[in-house]
Amino acid sequence: MLTALSIRDVVLIEALDLDFLEGLGVLTGETGAGKSILLDSLGLALGDRADSGLVRQGAERALVTASFDAPPVGHPLYALLDDQGLEVEPGEPLIIRRQVKADGGSRAFINDQPASAALLREVGGFLVEIHGQHDDRGLINPKGHRLLLDSFGALDVGEVANHYRVWVKAEAALAEARARVESDARDREWLDHSIAEIEKFAPEADEEAELAGARADMQKGEKLTEELGALDQLLQGSDGAMAQLRQAARRLDRIGGEHDYLGQALEAFDRALIEASEGEDLLAKAADALRYDPDTLDRIETRLFDLRALARKHQVQPDALASLLSDLQTRRDALDAGEEGLAKLAGEAKTARAAYEAAAQALHHARVAAAIRLDAAVAAELAPLKLEAAKFRTAVDSLPDDQWGASGMDRVAFEIATNPGAPFAPLMKIASGGELSRFILALKVALAQKGGADTMIFDEIDRGVGGAVASAIGERLARLSKGKQLLVVTHSPQVAARGDHHLLIAKASDGTVARTGVRPLDTAERREEIARMLSGAEITDEARAQATRLLERL
């Protein structure tokens, strides 16, 4: 809660240091004394727009420092500060400092660490609720109504949040798989065509080298045909070299025994015949390998050229076509499997959504029941606050499914109808600032200790009312302040008498310069101030006596 507020050079305030305590603190003073300056100064520390007009005339800058007790360990405020790179240890008081220069520009600090005005507003939302006729935060902001209803009804959204996370994860997996399958499906026709084309061609490993070699050999054979034919004529036939060599060997065989040399010559001829026969066989094989056949050459060249063209088409080497076929078949198999997996993922997403919807529907019914209880609690507070003709309701409406989230599928809004037969409208549409403040008070009382900041400020909540209504307001403020800190700017003596602490705001002038000051009042001073509020400019004994009765009755 707020422990201290230091103000320097803000409008009519030259220097002011205030300490604040738990309970109900009331701020009173004559009209124009500067109560709004005090609230504007606190608002500046909490991130309101920095207006150079706030700087006291003649000063270079305005400076406001607000000190707060340390939030409890685990408070979400620590996570916010950590996300922003600010180091604040649990248990360490928060000191917010904001300065505005007379020539424009402002700076802000949290525990002496630079901070933005936007961060001050977020931090301020955790620390202080300011309720006034121009306030657009706190209870009149629909963004917080669902959390307040859940807190009032002690509703746990954890199960819904868990189911939502599972559903979102399942939908993300399905979307990713669907995108992948759709991408592959766009290539399905090309895959099928390419696989059929390569399968029909049936490329073999090392086929290009074999075809190229066969083609080269046949082309050589075309050139060597005449030479091979001449060699065949020399070697074959009755007059060929082989026939002559065999005939010579047979004759030599008949006389080989007559002399050693003849025997050696026979052995040499035998060896020559063996070598010549091997040569003859090799020539025959060469002639067969190099045999030129135009039709065969055409078939070989056609196959070779088609093989290379197919490889170029698929941007691979000819010898890689067989491997490419295997890869394409694998991709097609994966596509088939992906389509099967898609159905499985779709089923999982459907199941996850159904589980989320069931949990969210249960939460919806619990919210509707809690809304009925809250409406009854607020209705009980309206008549004493002179709002008996008004009606309050908590609207729990279903959101379209594209707006469902971790908190469920509901939009929650506090609505009122100020007159019989009038349509219900959001709280912020109320024209009367006094009515708005009293509605907020009724809500705060109904919500009791269900969440909210530890420090609440009500600005002129009693405007336009008096007597029994003012007493009812004071009684409810006192009840609401138990265990919290309430600061109330009031013109009502009935409300002021309820305060645990009383601060008087007064303006003084030396004839040239006016200054606003604030001081705490003791018991006697409180009676005198309440008597002034009762009687006006001239304080009468009757007013003092009535002030005494108000203080004693409380």
Side-chain angles (χ1 to χ4, degrees), residues 179-191:
R180 185 171 59 250
V181 168
E182 288 176 354
S183 176
D184 288 342
R186 287 192 293 269
D187 298 333
R188 181 61 181 260
E189 183 177 351
W190 175 84
L191 275 173

Side-chain angles (χ1 to χ4, degrees), residues 318-329:
D319 288 342
L321 278 172
S323 176
L324 174 64
L325 176 61
S326 177
D327 292 342
L328 295 177
Q329 290 170 333

Side-chain angles (χ1 to χ4, degrees), residues 476-496:
R476 281 155 178 78
L477 288 171
R479 193 195 324 163
L480 192 59
S481 68
K482 301 304 180 183
K484 286 184 176 289
Q485 180 185 62
L486 260 70
L487 301 176
V488 181
V489 177
T490 180
H491 291 287
S492 168
Q494 292 90 340
V495 174

Side-chain angles (χ1 to χ4, degrees), residues 499-514:
D500 299 310
H501 323 287
H502 195 143
L503 295 175
L504 176 64
I505 304 173
K507 183 168 63 175
S509 174
D510 59 6
T512 57
V513 179

Side-chain angles (χ1 to χ4, degrees), residues 293-367:
D293 181 358
D295 292 337
T296 303
L297 178 60
D298 183 61
R299 287 196 301 271
I300 291 174
E301 287 184 334
T302 299
R303 176 75 177 178
L304 178 62
F305 296 155
D306 288 347
L307 176 68
R308 289 173 175 172
L310 188 61
R312 284 194 302 272
K313 178 179 179 180
H314 292 283
Q315 299 180 342
V316 296
Q317 294 298 319
D319 288 342
L321 278 172
S323 176
L324 174 64
L325 176 61
S326 177
D327 292 342
L328 295 177
Q329 290 170 333
T330 300
R331 282 182 59 184
R332 187 171 63 182
D333 292 343
L335 178 58
D336 294 338
E339 291 172 347
E340 295 176 2
L342 198 62
K344 179 182 178 183
L345 290 173
E348 292 174 353
K350 183 178 180 181
T351 300
R353 174 182 174 132
Y356 168 79
E357 287 190 41
Q361 280 291 344
L363 180 60
H364 170 78
H365 294 311
R367 281 175 175 157

Side-chain angles (χ1 to χ4, degrees), residues 66-139:
S67 302
F68 295 86
D69 282 332
V73 176
H75 194 284
L77 182 56
Y78 291 115
L80 170 63
L81 295 173
D82 185 62
D83 287 342
Q84 297 296 319
L86 274 66
E87 297 180 1
V88 177
E89 294 293 330
E92 180 182 359
L94 286 177
I95 301 176
I96 301 176
R97 180 161 48 94
R98 182 92 179 274
Q99 69 178 32
V100 181
K101 294 182 179 180
D103 58 359
S106 70
R107 299 180 65 190
F109 302 87
I110 297 178
N111 287 19
D112 291 325
Q113 300 169 80
S116 66
L119 179 58
L120 293 190
R121 286 192 290 272
E122 288 191 73
V123 171
F126 284 108
L127 299 174
V128 180
E129 292 180 21
I130 301 178
H131 301 297
Q133 56 184 324
H134 302 300
D135 182 51
D136 61 353
R137 292 178 289 185
L139 290 180

